[in-house]
C-alpha cells in the first residue's frame, strides 16, 4: 500500500513539475530528429542482431532563480565523462543520442584547449590560416571522427541548459526509444540539480541586492529516474551515476540509488579520483573498474563501457528468453 | 563622520573577504604578465601621447556553495558585451586587459557557432580538413585578427571562474595599472555576484539532498567598486554597468551607482534591448546610444566605445591641467 501511495505522489509531483515548466522550444523538430535517428538505427543489421542505441546525458543542469534568468544555481560538471563515454560507445557499435549541456565537452574534442579556434590555428599571412604543428593531429582527428559519426547517422547531439529543458528532453527521448525495448540503454552521466525553484514561485525580475543577505529556498526535483523506469521506457537498460566528494558514504549511496530507482547499474565515483577508477554497483556485485595506465591516452571509460556493453548484451539475451 | 565610519567598515569587509578567500593560483605569473604588458604599452608613443590601457571585465562570476565545488550560484552573462567592446577598444587604439569568465565569448570570435571546430570545418578526406565555405571568411578573420592583437602586445587575456578569483585578479590588475594614472580605464562589463557564501562558512563536502527543501543563505559581496576608486587605482577613469530586467527602475539605479561608487560613467542596459541601445549616465548628462541599423554588422558597442573614448580623452586632458 505504501509503495502505491508513494508512486502516485511521485507521478503527481512529476506532472506538476512538467505542467509548471516553461514550454520546451522546438519540440516538434526534436521529436522528428529523434524518430528519424531511431528508425534508421533500429532496423536489424545484416546478421540479424538488433542495433543498440544509448542515450548518454552529459554536463550539469542549471536551476534558474528568476524567470528572466540572470541568476541560477548550477551543478558543476565539465561533461568530460559523457563526451569520453560517447566515443567508446560509438567504438562498441552503439548509436548514441548525446543529451549535453551547452558549452560542455564534446565527443572527440576533449583533448583540445578551451578556445580551440584561436589556440589551435595560426595565420600564415594576412588571409590564410593553418593548424599549429602541436595540435595538427588532434584537430584533424577531432574533425574527421566527429564528422563521420554525425553524417554516418551514429551520433545525434541535443543541447540543454536548464533542469526544465533537460527533463523535458529526457522524457521525449525515452518515449521515442521505448519501441527499442531492451536494446535501449540510458547512461545518465549528467549532473542533475536535486533542487529547483518552481517556475510559478519565481520572481519575474532580477532579485534586488538591497539587503545584506539573500535567502534562496529551493524544493526537491521529483525523482524522474523512477518515471523513466516505470513509464517512459520500462524495458530499457538503465545506468545512473553517483558522485560524492566524501568516499565514506559513496558506495552506500550508490546501493541505495540502485534499489530505490531500480537501476540496472550505478556507477559510483568520487570527485578527486573519478578519472582513475569507478565502482560499478549492480544487484549481484560491486566491480572496481580502473584505467589501464600502461596504455597512453587510455581512459577509465574504455573498460567501463566494455563492461556495461557486455552487461547490456546479457540483459537483451535474457529479455528475449523471457518473451 | 558617517561616511568615515562607512568606509572603515567597507575596508574591513574587503579585508575579511580577501583573507577568507581561497588563495589565487599563479599570482606571481599573472603579476609578471601584467607588468610586462603595461610597461610595453605605457611608454609614450612617437607623437608624445601617453598610450591608453583599458581593463575590460566580461562574463558572469560564480559563487561556490561548497568548498569542493559541485554546486554554485552563477550570474548569467554570455560575455558578448565585453568581447565586442574589446574589439572596438582595440580599434580605438587602446591596449586591452581582458578579464573574462572561462568559456564566455572571446573577442573576434563572437559571430562563430558554439562549437566552432566541429561546426566550421569539414574533412576533405580521411586525413585532411578545410573550412566550410559558409564560415570561411569569419574563421580566417577571427584567427588573423585575434593573433595580431595578442602577438602585437595589444591584448592580454586573463580568465576567471569564481567571485573570489575575479575580485583578487581585479585588485592585482588595478594596482598594476595605478602607475598609468588617468590613462587607465576600467570598463566593468562582467556580471558580478552580489551575494556569496564566505569560504569559511562553506561545507566541505557536497550538500546532501535528503531533505525536501534546500535553504541557501548568502551574504552580500563587499562593494569593491569603492575600493577600486579609493585605493587600488584612484586616478583611473571608471565605467560600470547596470543591467536590469525592469526598465522602470533602471535609470534611477544607474544614477545611484554613479554617485555611490564615484564612477565616471554608468552604462544602463535592459536585458531584452541591450544589443540595440544603452544609456550612458554621467554626472552631467544621460546619453542614449543606439546601434546604427543602416550599417550591417554594426554593434551598439561601436558608438558606445567612441563616446567613452572621447570622454576618457577629455578626462586625461583635464587631469593634466590640474597637475
Amino acid at each position: 500500500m505504501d509503495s502505491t501511495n508513494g508512486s502516485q505522489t511521485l507521478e503527481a509531483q512529476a506532472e506538476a513539475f512538467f505542467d509548471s515548466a516553461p514550454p520546451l522550444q522546438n519540440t516538434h523538430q526534436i521529436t522528428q530528429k529523434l524518430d528519424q535517428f531511431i528508425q534508421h538505427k533500429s532496423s536489424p543489421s545484416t546478421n540479424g542482431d538488433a542495433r543498440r542505441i544509448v542515450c548518454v546525458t552529459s554536463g550539469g543542469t542549471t536551476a534558474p532563480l528568476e524567470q528572466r534568468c540572470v541568476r541560477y544555481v548550477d551543478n558543476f560538471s565539465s561533461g568530460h565523462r559523457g563526451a569520453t563515454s560517447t566515443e567508446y560507445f560509438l567504438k562498441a557499435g552503439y548509436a548514441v543520442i548525446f543529451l549535453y549541456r551547452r558549452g560542455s565537452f564534446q565527443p572527440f574534442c576533449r583533448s583540445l584547449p578551451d578556445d580551440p579556434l584561436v589556440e589551435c590555428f595560426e595565420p600564415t599571412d594576412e588571409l590564410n590560416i593553418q593548424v599549429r604543428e602541436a595540435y595538427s593531429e588532434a584537430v584533424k582527428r577531432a574533425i574527421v571522427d566527429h564528422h563521420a559519426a554525425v553524417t554516418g547517422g551514429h551520433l545525434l547531439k541535443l543541447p540543454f541548459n536548464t533542469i526544465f529543458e533537460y527533463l523535458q528532453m529526457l522524457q521525449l527521448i525515452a518515449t521515442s526509444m521505448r519501441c527499442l525495448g531492451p536494446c535501449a540503454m540510458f547512461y545518465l552521466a549528467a549532473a542533475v540539480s536535486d533542487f529547483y525553484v518552481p517556475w510559478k514561485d519565481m520572481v519575474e525580475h532580477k532579485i534586488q541586492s538591497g539587503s545584506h543577505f539573500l535567502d534562496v529556498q529551493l524544493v526537491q526535483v521529483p525523482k524522474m529516474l523512477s518515471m523513466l523506469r516505470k513509464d517512459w521506457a520500462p524495458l530499457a537498460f538503465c545506468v545512473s551515476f553517483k558522485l560524492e566528494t566524501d568516499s565514506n558514504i559513496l558506495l552506500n549511496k550508490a546501493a541505495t540509488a540502485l534499489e530505490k530507482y531500480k537501476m540496472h547499474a550505478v556507477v559510483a565515483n568520487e570527485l578527486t579520483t573519478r578519472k582513475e577508477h569507478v565502482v560499478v554497483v549492480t544487484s549481484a556485485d560491486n566491480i572496481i573498474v580502473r584505467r589501464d595506465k600502461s596504455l597512453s591516452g587510455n581512459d577509465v571509460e574504455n573498460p567501463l563501457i566494455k563492461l556495461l556493453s557486455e552487461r547490456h548484451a546479457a540483459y537483451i539475451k535474457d529479455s528475449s528468453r523471457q518473451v
Side-chain angles (χ1 to χ4, degrees), chain A:
Chain A
M1 293 296 274
D2 265 345
S3 93
T4 317
N5 286 346
S7 86
Q8 278 174 338
T9 308
L10 172 68
E11 273 156 18
Q13 279 173 12
E15 203 181 312
F17 178 91
F18 285 123
D19 281 351
S20 81
L24 188 64
Q25 303 292 305
N26 309 321
T27 307
H28 180 67
Q29 274 168 285
I30 296 170
T31 311
Q32 215 168 22
K33 273 191 195 174
L34 277 169
D35 289 346
Q36 273 173 7
F37 185 81
I38 292 167
Q39 210 162 26
H40 172 68
K41 294 313 289 185
S42 61
S43 48
S45 62
T46 44
N47 64 12
D49 284 349
R51 294 255 172 70
R52 295 187 288 175
I53 303 187
V54 60
C55 169
V56 174
T57 71
S58 190
T61 66
T62 66
L65 300 178
E66 297 142 330
Q67 283 191 3
R68 303 206 196 173
C69 188
V70 174
R71 295 196 186 92
Y72 51 83
V73 177
D74 197 350
N75 267 33
F76 166 77
S77 175
S78 66
H80 193 274
R81 175 83 75 206
T84 311
S85 301
T86 293
E87 295 176 31
Y88 287 106
F89 273 120
L90 289 167
K91 269 189 197 158
Y94 279 82
V96 182
I97 298 169
F98 184 61
L99 179 63
Y100 69 99
R101 166 73 177 276
R102 225 177 272 277
S104 65
F105 274 115
Q106 294 297 299
F108 306 112
C109 300
R110 59 201 160 89
S111 66
L112 298 170
D114 266 1
D115 289 305
L117 203 67
V118 296
E119 296 300 325
C120 300
F121 292 83
E122 60 191 359
T124 49
D125 54 45
E126 252 304 291
L127 285 170
N128 289 294
I129 56 167
Q130 66 183 15
V131 189
R132 281 181 211 271
E133 187 66 33
Y135 295 112
S136 173
E137 205 37 51
V139 164
K140 284 178 192 170
R141 275 266 63 84
I143 293 166
V144 170
D145 291 349
H146 186 277
H147 188 264
V150 172
T151 57
H154 312 299
L155 175 61
L156 177 66
K157 303 207 301 182
L158 298 170
F160 66 83
N161 279 316
T162 69
I163 178 75
F164 300 111
E165 290 165 351
Y166 173 79
L167 286 174
Q168 289 176 98
M169 290 175 83
L170 185 64
Q171 187 186 28
L172 272 187
I173 295 168
T175 46
S176 296
M177 283 173 75
R178 187 179 358 200
C179 63
L180 299 168
C183 292
M185 190 200 293
F186 286 85
Y187 180 87
L188 304 159
V192 182
S193 319
D194 294 312
F195 297 98
Y196 79 117
V197 182
W199 196 253
K200 59 178 172 33
D201 296 349
M202 238 176 254
V203 294
E204 186 188 355
H205 290 296
K206 194 181 161 189
I207 297 165
Q208 293 303 315
S209 61
S211 72
H212 286 287
F213 298 95
L214 178 68
D215 200 347
V216 181
Q217 289 179 322
L218 301 103
V219 302
Q220 203 164 36
V221 174
K223 295 297 179 188
M224 298 288 188
L225 285 188
S226 300
M227 297 298 296
L228 171 64
R229 285 289 291 128
K230 231 175 86 62
D231 284 353
W232 301 348
L235 296 177
F237 187 79
C238 287
V239 182
S240 72
F241 281 73
K242 201 69 188 168
L243 173 75
E244 292 292 336
T245 56
D246 183 351
S247 60
N248 295 318
I249 58 171
L250 177 58
L251 287 183
N252 272 341
K253 295 209 67 145
T256 304
L258 184 82
E259 199 180 286
K260 192 167 170 190
Y261 306 120
K262 300 192 170 53
M263 292 290 105
H264 298 96
V266 174
V267 180
N269 54 157
E270 210 213 305
L271 193 61
T272 52
T273 58
R274 66 192 190 282
K275 290 186 182 175
E276 293 305 316
H277 56 84
V278 300
V279 181
V280 176
V281 176
T282 73
S283 58
D285 44 18
N286 284 5
I287 306 147
I288 303 177
V289 178
R290 291 183 199 282
R291 183 171 78 85
D292 185 348
K293 291 177 193 170
S294 66
L295 300 167
S296 90
N298 207 357
D299 309 287
V300 68
E301 287 81 1
N302 189 358
L304 174 61
I305 304 309
K306 261 195 198 125
L307 174 69
L308 291 175
S309 170
E310 284 164 18
R311 294 290 168 112
H312 186 204
Y315 172 80
I316 295 171
K317 219 168 167 183
D318 213 41
S319 302
S320 69
R321 260 199 227 108
Q322 285 175 9
V323 172

